[in-house]
Amino acid sequence: MRRYDGRAVPEKILAALVVAACAVLLVRLVLGADLRARLDAALRRFWSGTRRWSRDTVSRPAAERRAKRAADEAIRRASHGSWDGNVFRPDNFGRRRGDRKADDKRRRDLH
């Protein structure tokens, strides 16, 4: 008796898919025009559902991670600053390195 080694599984899956596709095409040839149209519509619905499922399970989590990362970064940047009345001024707004005195002078000149 031969033991299962696991190497032939992809080949068996591919062979099963080819057999299923051939069976669907053979059935489609035998059907009349009305039933063929209904079968084609059912296959399109199945395919679009499969695509939607794969998109939702693969790409959406990545997009959610990117959006969460961007929101966390915006919150982090917004948390450093001060309120001047009802205006929030970030610490790094309009300031370059070594330009703190000019920034303080500009802030005083606004009022």
PDB file of all heavy atoms in Angstrom, residues 73-100:
ATOM      1  N   GLU A  73      -1.645  58.527  12.522  1.00  0.00           N
ATOM      2  CA  GLU A  73      -0.619  59.540  12.257  1.00  0.00           C
ATOM      3  C   GLU A  73      -1.211  60.943  12.335  1.00  0.00           C
ATOM      4  O   GLU A  73      -0.606  61.854  12.911  1.00  0.00           O
ATOM      5  CB  GLU A  73       0.004  59.301  10.884  1.00  0.00           C
ATOM      6  CG  GLU A  73       1.021  60.327  10.470  1.00  0.00           C
ATOM      7  CD  GLU A  73       2.253  60.351  11.357  1.00  0.00           C
ATOM      8  OE1 GLU A  73       2.525  59.348  12.042  1.00  0.00           O
ATOM      9  OE2 GLU A  73       2.935  61.389  11.386  1.00  0.00           O
ATOM     10  N   ALA A  74      -2.418  61.142  11.797  1.00  0.00           N
ATOM     11  CA  ALA A  74      -3.059  62.460  11.866  1.00  0.00           C
ATOM     12  C   ALA A  74      -3.386  62.833  13.300  1.00  0.00           C
ATOM     13  O   ALA A  74      -3.194  63.985  13.716  1.00  0.00           O
ATOM     14  CB  ALA A  74      -4.329  62.458  11.014  1.00  0.00           C
ATOM     15  N   ILE A  75      -3.844  61.876  14.085  1.00  0.00           N
ATOM     16  CA  ILE A  75      -4.140  62.138  15.502  1.00  0.00           C
ATOM     17  C   ILE A  75      -2.866  62.476  16.259  1.00  0.00           C
ATOM     18  O   ILE A  75      -2.832  63.389  17.079  1.00  0.00           O
ATOM     19  CB  ILE A  75      -4.863  60.926  16.127  1.00  0.00           C
ATOM     20  CG1 ILE A  75      -6.264  60.818  15.538  1.00  0.00           C
ATOM     21  CG2 ILE A  75      -4.916  61.038  17.641  1.00  0.00           C
ATOM     22  CD1 ILE A  75      -6.971  59.527  15.870  1.00  0.00           C
ATOM     23  N   ARG A  76      -1.790  61.752  15.957  1.00  0.00           N
ATOM     24  CA  ARG A  76      -0.514  62.016  16.634  1.00  0.00           C
ATOM     25  C   ARG A  76      -0.013  63.416  16.301  1.00  0.00           C
ATOM     26  O   ARG A  76       0.411  64.163  17.182  1.00  0.00           O
ATOM     27  CB  ARG A  76       0.537  60.983  16.220  1.00  0.00           C
ATOM     28  CG  ARG A  76       1.852  61.120  17.004  1.00  0.00           C
ATOM     29  CD  ARG A  76       2.959  60.325  16.366  1.00  0.00           C
ATOM     30  NE  ARG A  76       3.263  60.755  15.019  1.00  0.00           N
ATOM     31  CZ  ARG A  76       3.964  61.849  14.692  1.00  0.00           C
ATOM     32  NH1 ARG A  76       4.388  62.655  15.639  1.00  0.00           N
ATOM     33  NH2 ARG A  76       4.205  62.154  13.438  1.00  0.00           N
ATOM     34  N   ARG A  77      -0.088  63.805  15.022  1.00  0.00           N
ATOM     35  CA  ARG A  77       0.362  65.145  14.640  1.00  0.00           C
ATOM     36  C   ARG A  77      -0.505  66.230  15.259  1.00  0.00           C
ATOM     37  O   ARG A  77      -0.015  67.280  15.661  1.00  0.00           O
ATOM     38  CB  ARG A  77       0.359  65.295  13.123  1.00  0.00           C
ATOM     39  CG  ARG A  77       1.548  64.644  12.472  1.00  0.00           C
ATOM     40  CD  ARG A  77       1.580  64.902  10.989  1.00  0.00           C
ATOM     41  NE  ARG A  77       0.621  64.006  10.345  1.00  0.00           N
ATOM     42  CZ  ARG A  77      -0.343  64.377   9.524  1.00  0.00           C
ATOM     43  NH1 ARG A  77      -0.491  65.633   9.201  1.00  0.00           N
ATOM     44  NH2 ARG A  77      -1.168  63.498   8.996  1.00  0.00           N
ATOM     45  N   ALA A  78      -1.805  65.983  15.354  1.00  0.00           N
ATOM     46  CA  ALA A  78      -2.721  66.995  15.880  1.00  0.00           C
ATOM     47  C   ALA A  78      -2.627  67.120  17.390  1.00  0.00           C
ATOM     48  O   ALA A  78      -3.075  68.117  17.954  1.00  0.00           O
ATOM     49  CB  ALA A  78      -4.151  66.652  15.479  1.00  0.00           C
ATOM     50  N   SER A  79      -2.062  66.140  18.051  1.00  0.00           N
ATOM     51  CA  SER A  79      -2.011  66.206  19.510  1.00  0.00           C
ATOM     52  C   SER A  79      -0.904  67.118  20.023  1.00  0.00           C
ATOM     53  O   SER A  79      -0.865  67.429  21.207  1.00  0.00           O
ATOM     54  CB  SER A  79      -1.827  64.802  20.087  1.00  0.00           C
ATOM     55  OG  SER A  79      -0.568  64.287  19.712  1.00  0.00           O
ATOM     56  N   HIS A  80      -0.005  67.571  19.162  1.00  0.00           N
ATOM     57  CA  HIS A  80       1.092  68.450  19.574  1.00  0.00           C
ATOM     58  C   HIS A  80       0.813  69.862  19.085  1.00  0.00           C
ATOM     59  O   HIS A  80       0.966  70.172  17.914  1.00  0.00           O
ATOM     60  CB  HIS A  80       2.428  67.954  19.016  1.00  0.00           C
ATOM     61  CG  HIS A  80       2.771  66.575  19.465  1.00  0.00           C
ATOM     62  ND1 HIS A  80       3.128  66.282  20.754  1.00  0.00           N
ATOM     63  CD2 HIS A  80       2.760  65.394  18.799  1.00  0.00           C
ATOM     64  CE1 HIS A  80       3.351  64.994  20.859  1.00  0.00           C
ATOM     65  NE2 HIS A  80       3.129  64.422  19.687  1.00  0.00           N
ATOM     66  N   GLY A  81       0.403  70.721  19.996  1.00  0.00           N
ATOM     67  CA  GLY A  81       0.106  72.097  19.620  1.00  0.00           C
ATOM     68  C   GLY A  81      -0.561  72.828  20.775  1.00  0.00           C
ATOM     69  O   GLY A  81      -0.609  72.342  21.901  1.00  0.00           O
ATOM     70  N   SER A  82      -1.083  74.014  20.489  1.00  0.00           N
ATOM     71  CA  SER A  82      -1.730  74.795  21.541  1.00  0.00           C
ATOM     72  C   SER A  82      -2.943  75.505  20.959  1.00  0.00           C
ATOM     73  O   SER A  82      -3.033  75.722  19.748  1.00  0.00           O
ATOM     74  CB  SER A  82      -0.747  75.821  22.112  1.00  0.00           C
ATOM     75  OG  SER A  82      -0.320  76.688  21.081  1.00  0.00           O
ATOM     76  N   TRP A  83      -3.862  75.841  21.833  1.00  0.00           N
ATOM     77  CA  TRP A  83      -5.071  76.557  21.435  1.00  0.00           C
ATOM     78  C   TRP A  83      -4.864  78.045  21.650  1.00  0.00           C
ATOM     79  O   TRP A  83      -4.372  78.480  22.684  1.00  0.00           O
ATOM     80  CB  TRP A  83      -6.269  76.082  22.252  1.00  0.00           C
ATOM     81  CG  TRP A  83      -6.761  74.751  21.810  1.00  0.00           C
ATOM     82  CD1 TRP A  83      -6.424  73.543  22.328  1.00  0.00           C
ATOM     83  CD2 TRP A  83      -7.670  74.504  20.747  1.00  0.00           C
ATOM     84  NE1 TRP A  83      -7.069  72.548  21.647  1.00  0.00           N
ATOM     85  CE2 TRP A  83      -7.845  73.120  20.674  1.00  0.00           C
ATOM     86  CE3 TRP A  83      -8.342  75.315  19.843  1.00  0.00           C
ATOM     87  CZ2 TRP A  83      -8.673  72.525  19.739  1.00  0.00           C
ATOM     88  CZ3 TRP A  83      -9.167  74.713  18.915  1.00  0.00           C
ATOM     89  CH2 TRP A  83      -9.328  73.347  18.862  1.00  0.00           C
ATOM     90  N   ASP A  84      -5.212  78.831  20.663  1.00  0.00           N
ATOM     91  CA  ASP A  84      -5.168  80.282  20.757  1.00  0.00           C
ATOM     92  C   ASP A  84      -6.603  80.751  20.513  1.00  0.00           C
ATOM     93  O   ASP A  84      -7.015  80.963  19.373  1.00  0.00           O
ATOM     94  CB  ASP A  84      -4.204  80.842  19.709  1.00  0.00           C
ATOM     95  CG  ASP A  84      -4.043  82.345  19.834  1.00  0.00           C
ATOM     96  OD1 ASP A  84      -4.432  82.896  20.880  1.00  0.00           O
ATOM     97  OD2 ASP A  84      -3.535  82.956  18.874  1.00  0.00           O
ATOM     98  N   GLY A  85      -7.383  80.862  21.595  1.00  0.00           N
ATOM     99  CA  GLY A  85      -8.809  81.139  21.446  1.00  0.00           C
ATOM    100  C   GLY A  85      -9.489  79.886  20.921  1.00  0.00           C
ATOM    101  O   GLY A  85      -9.407  78.835  21.521  1.00  0.00           O
ATOM    102  N   ASN A  86     -10.135  79.997  19.781  1.00  0.00           N
ATOM    103  CA  ASN A  86     -10.754  78.810  19.195  1.00  0.00           C
ATOM    104  C   ASN A  86      -9.944  78.263  18.018  1.00  0.00           C
ATOM    105  O   ASN A  86     -10.437  77.478  17.231  1.00  0.00           O
ATOM    106  CB  ASN A  86     -12.186  79.118  18.740  1.00  0.00           C
ATOM    107  CG  ASN A  86     -12.218  80.147  17.632  1.00  0.00           C
ATOM    108  OD1 ASN A  86     -11.236  80.830  17.403  1.00  0.00           O
ATOM    109  ND2 ASN A  86     -13.353  80.254  16.968  1.00  0.00           N
ATOM    110  N   VAL A  87      -8.685  78.682  17.890  1.00  0.00           N
ATOM    111  CA  VAL A  87      -7.809  78.241  16.811  1.00  0.00           C
ATOM    112  C   VAL A  87      -6.737  77.328  17.381  1.00  0.00           C
ATOM    113  O   VAL A  87      -6.049  77.685  18.340  1.00  0.00           O
ATOM    114  CB  VAL A  87      -7.137  79.454  16.114  1.00  0.00           C
ATOM    115  CG1 VAL A  87      -6.160  78.992  15.044  1.00  0.00           C
ATOM    116  CG2 VAL A  87      -8.186  80.371  15.543  1.00  0.00           C
ATOM    117  N   PHE A  88      -6.594  76.151  16.812  1.00  0.00           N
ATOM    118  CA  PHE A  88      -5.559  75.211  17.228  1.00  0.00           C
ATOM    119  C   PHE A  88      -4.337  75.428  16.350  1.00  0.00           C
ATOM    120  O   PHE A  88      -4.424  75.401  15.126  1.00  0.00           O
ATOM    121  CB  PHE A  88      -6.049  73.772  17.080  1.00  0.00           C
ATOM    122  CG  PHE A  88      -5.035  72.769  17.515  1.00  0.00           C
ATOM    123  CD1 PHE A  88      -4.808  72.537  18.851  1.00  0.00           C
ATOM    124  CD2 PHE A  88      -4.286  72.071  16.580  1.00  0.00           C
ATOM    125  CE1 PHE A  88      -3.872  71.608  19.261  1.00  0.00           C
ATOM    126  CE2 PHE A  88      -3.350  71.148  16.976  1.00  0.00           C
ATOM    127  CZ  PHE A  88      -3.140  70.912  18.321  1.00  0.00           C
ATOM    128  N   ARG A  89      -3.205  75.659  16.967  1.00  0.00           N
ATOM    129  CA  ARG A  89      -1.964  75.868  16.229  1.00  0.00           C
ATOM    130  C   ARG A  89      -1.008  74.717  16.551  1.00  0.00           C
ATOM    131  O   ARG A  89      -0.505  74.626  17.667  1.00  0.00           O
ATOM    132  CB  ARG A  89      -1.308  77.177  16.627  1.00  0.00           C
ATOM    133  CG  ARG A  89      -2.145  78.391  16.285  1.00  0.00           C
ATOM    134  CD  ARG A  89      -1.345  79.653  16.501  1.00  0.00           C
ATOM    135  NE  ARG A  89      -2.185  80.818  16.399  1.00  0.00           N
ATOM    136  CZ  ARG A  89      -2.496  81.399  15.254  1.00  0.00           C
ATOM    137  NH1 ARG A  89      -2.032  80.909  14.135  1.00  0.00           N
ATOM    138  NH2 ARG A  89      -3.261  82.457  15.242  1.00  0.00           N
ATOM    139  N   PRO A  90      -0.726  73.873  15.548  1.00  0.00           N
ATOM    140  CA  PRO A  90       0.240  72.800  15.766  1.00  0.00           C
ATOM    141  C   PRO A  90       1.618  73.388  16.052  1.00  0.00           C
ATOM    142  O   PRO A  90       1.957  74.467  15.560  1.00  0.00           O
ATOM    143  CB  PRO A  90       0.240  72.025  14.456  1.00  0.00           C
ATOM    144  CG  PRO A  90      -1.015  72.416  13.769  1.00  0.00           C
ATOM    145  CD  PRO A  90      -1.348  73.789  14.237  1.00  0.00           C
ATOM    146  N   ASP A  91       2.395  72.668  16.839  1.00  0.00           N
ATOM    147  CA  ASP A  91       3.736  73.154  17.178  1.00  0.00           C
ATOM    148  C   ASP A  91       4.615  73.316  15.945  1.00  0.00           C
ATOM    149  O   ASP A  91       5.443  74.209  15.884  1.00  0.00           O
ATOM    150  CB  ASP A  91       4.416  72.193  18.154  1.00  0.00           C
ATOM    151  CG  ASP A  91       3.798  72.270  19.534  1.00  0.00           C
ATOM    152  OD1 ASP A  91       3.153  73.300  19.840  1.00  0.00           O
ATOM    153  OD2 ASP A  91       3.949  71.304  20.303  1.00  0.00           O
ATOM    154  N   ASN A  92       4.441  72.462  14.964  1.00  0.00           N
ATOM    155  CA  ASN A  92       5.321  72.508  13.799  1.00  0.00           C
ATOM    156  C   ASN A  92       4.701  73.262  12.632  1.00  0.00           C
ATOM    157  O   ASN A  92       5.197  73.177  11.521  1.00  0.00           O
ATOM    158  CB  ASN A  92       5.700  71.095  13.370  1.00  0.00           C
ATOM    159  CG  ASN A  92       4.490  70.281  12.996  1.00  0.00           C
ATOM    160  OD1 ASN A  92       3.358  70.737  13.123  1.00  0.00           O
ATOM    161  ND2 ASN A  92       4.723  69.063  12.552  1.00  0.00           N
ATOM    162  N   PHE A  93       3.642  74.020  12.831  1.00  0.00           N
ATOM    163  CA  PHE A  93       2.981  74.719  11.736  1.00  0.00           C
ATOM    164  C   PHE A  93       3.792  75.936  11.315  1.00  0.00           C
ATOM    165  O   PHE A  93       4.071  76.834  12.094  1.00  0.00           O
ATOM    166  CB  PHE A  93       1.577  75.164  12.153  1.00  0.00           C
ATOM    167  CG  PHE A  93       0.851  75.893  11.071  1.00  0.00           C
ATOM    168  CD1 PHE A  93       0.373  75.199   9.976  1.00  0.00           C
ATOM    169  CD2 PHE A  93       0.664  77.254  11.134  1.00  0.00           C
ATOM    170  CE1 PHE A  93      -0.296  75.854   8.970  1.00  0.00           C
ATOM    171  CE2 PHE A  93      -0.013  77.917  10.136  1.00  0.00           C
ATOM    172  CZ  PHE A  93      -0.486  77.215   9.051  1.00  0.00           C
ATOM    173  N   GLY A  94       4.221  75.991  10.063  1.00  0.00           N
ATOM    174  CA  GLY A  94       4.920  77.141   9.514  1.00  0.00           C
ATOM    175  C   GLY A  94       6.291  77.375  10.101  1.00  0.00           C
ATOM    176  O   GLY A  94       6.836  78.463   9.999  1.00  0.00           O
ATOM    177  N   ARG A  95       6.874  76.398  10.717  1.00  0.00           N
ATOM    178  CA  ARG A  95       8.170  76.590  11.361  1.00  0.00           C
ATOM    179  C   ARG A  95       9.203  75.672  10.728  1.00  0.00           C
ATOM    180  O   ARG A  95       8.958  74.507  10.513  1.00  0.00           O
ATOM    181  CB  ARG A  95       8.049  76.248  12.842  1.00  0.00           C
ATOM    182  CG  ARG A  95       9.344  76.479  13.591  1.00  0.00           C
ATOM    183  CD  ARG A  95       9.264  76.052  15.024  1.00  0.00           C
ATOM    184  NE  ARG A  95       8.107  76.640  15.663  1.00  0.00           N
ATOM    185  CZ  ARG A  95       7.512  76.107  16.715  1.00  0.00           C
ATOM    186  NH1 ARG A  95       7.955  75.004  17.240  1.00  0.00           N
ATOM    187  NH2 ARG A  95       6.462  76.680  17.260  1.00  0.00           N
ATOM    188  N   ARG A  96      10.341  76.270  10.452  1.00  0.00           N
ATOM    189  CA  ARG A  96      11.460  75.468   9.980  1.00  0.00           C
ATOM    190  C   ARG A  96      12.453  75.346  11.121  1.00  0.00           C
ATOM    191  O   ARG A  96      12.367  76.064  12.116  1.00  0.00           O
ATOM    192  CB  ARG A  96      12.099  76.140   8.775  1.00  0.00           C
ATOM    193  CG  ARG A  96      11.194  76.152   7.580  1.00  0.00           C
ATOM    194  CD  ARG A  96      11.945  76.681   6.369  1.00  0.00           C
ATOM    195  NE  ARG A  96      11.124  76.609   5.199  1.00  0.00           N
ATOM    196  CZ  ARG A  96      10.251  77.525   4.824  1.00  0.00           C
ATOM    197  NH1 ARG A  96      10.083  78.610   5.550  1.00  0.00           N
ATOM    198  NH2 ARG A  96       9.543  77.375   3.738  1.00  0.00           N
ATOM    199  N   ARG A  97      13.409  74.500  10.953  1.00  0.00           N
ATOM    200  CA  ARG A  97      14.410  74.324  12.008  1.00  0.00           C
ATOM    201  C   ARG A  97      15.167  75.625  12.223  1.00  0.00           C
ATOM    202  O   ARG A  97      15.583  76.288  11.285  1.00  0.00           O
ATOM    203  CB  ARG A  97      15.388  73.232  11.628  1.00  0.00           C
ATOM    204  CG  ARG A  97      14.738  71.893  11.655  1.00  0.00           C
ATOM    205  CD  ARG A  97      15.729  70.826  11.414  1.00  0.00           C
ATOM    206  NE  ARG A  97      14.997  69.557  11.480  1.00  0.00           N
ATOM    207  CZ  ARG A  97      15.545  68.404  11.492  1.00  0.00           C
ATOM    208  NH1 ARG A  97      16.838  68.290  11.416  1.00  0.00           N
ATOM    209  NH2 ARG A  97      14.825  67.323  11.565  1.00  0.00           N
ATOM    210  N   GLY A  98      15.346  76.003  13.472  1.00  0.00           N
ATOM    211  CA  GLY A  98      16.077  77.215  13.807  1.00  0.00           C
ATOM    212  C   GLY A  98      15.295  78.488  13.550  1.00  0.00           C
ATOM    213  O   GLY A  98      15.859  79.571  13.592  1.00  0.00           O
ATOM    214  N   ASP A  99      14.007  78.401  13.301  1.00  0.00           N
ATOM    215  CA  ASP A  99      13.202  79.569  12.954  1.00  0.00           C
ATOM    216  C   ASP A  99      12.163  79.857  14.043  1.00  0.00           C
ATOM    217  O   ASP A  99      11.136  80.437  13.774  1.00  0.00           O
ATOM    218  CB  ASP A  99      12.522  79.326  11.606  1.00  0.00           C
ATOM    219  CG  ASP A  99      12.078  80.623  10.963  1.00  0.00           C
ATOM    220  OD1 ASP A  99      12.567  81.678  11.394  1.00  0.00           O
ATOM    221  OD2 ASP A  99      11.251  80.563  10.042  1.00  0.00           O
ATOM    222  N   ARG A 100      12.445  79.499  15.282  1.00  0.00           N
ATOM    223  CA  ARG A 100      11.456  79.664  16.352  1.00  0.00           C
ATOM    224  C   ARG A 100      11.234  81.136  16.697  1.00  0.00           C
ATOM    225  O   ARG A 100      10.109  81.545  16.952  1.00  0.00           O
ATOM    226  CB  ARG A 100      11.901  78.915  17.597  1.00  0.00           C
ATOM    227  CG  ARG A 100      11.793  77.431  17.437  1.00  0.00           C
ATOM    228  CD  ARG A 100      12.201  76.737  18.714  1.00  0.00           C
ATOM    229  NE  ARG A 100      12.235  75.323  18.478  1.00  0.00           N
ATOM    230  CZ  ARG A 100      11.506  74.457  19.129  1.00  0.00           C
ATOM    231  NH1 ARG A 100      10.718  74.851  20.075  1.00  0.00           N
ATOM    232  NH2 ARG A 100      11.575  73.177  18.850  1.00  0.00           N
TER     233      ARG A 100
END
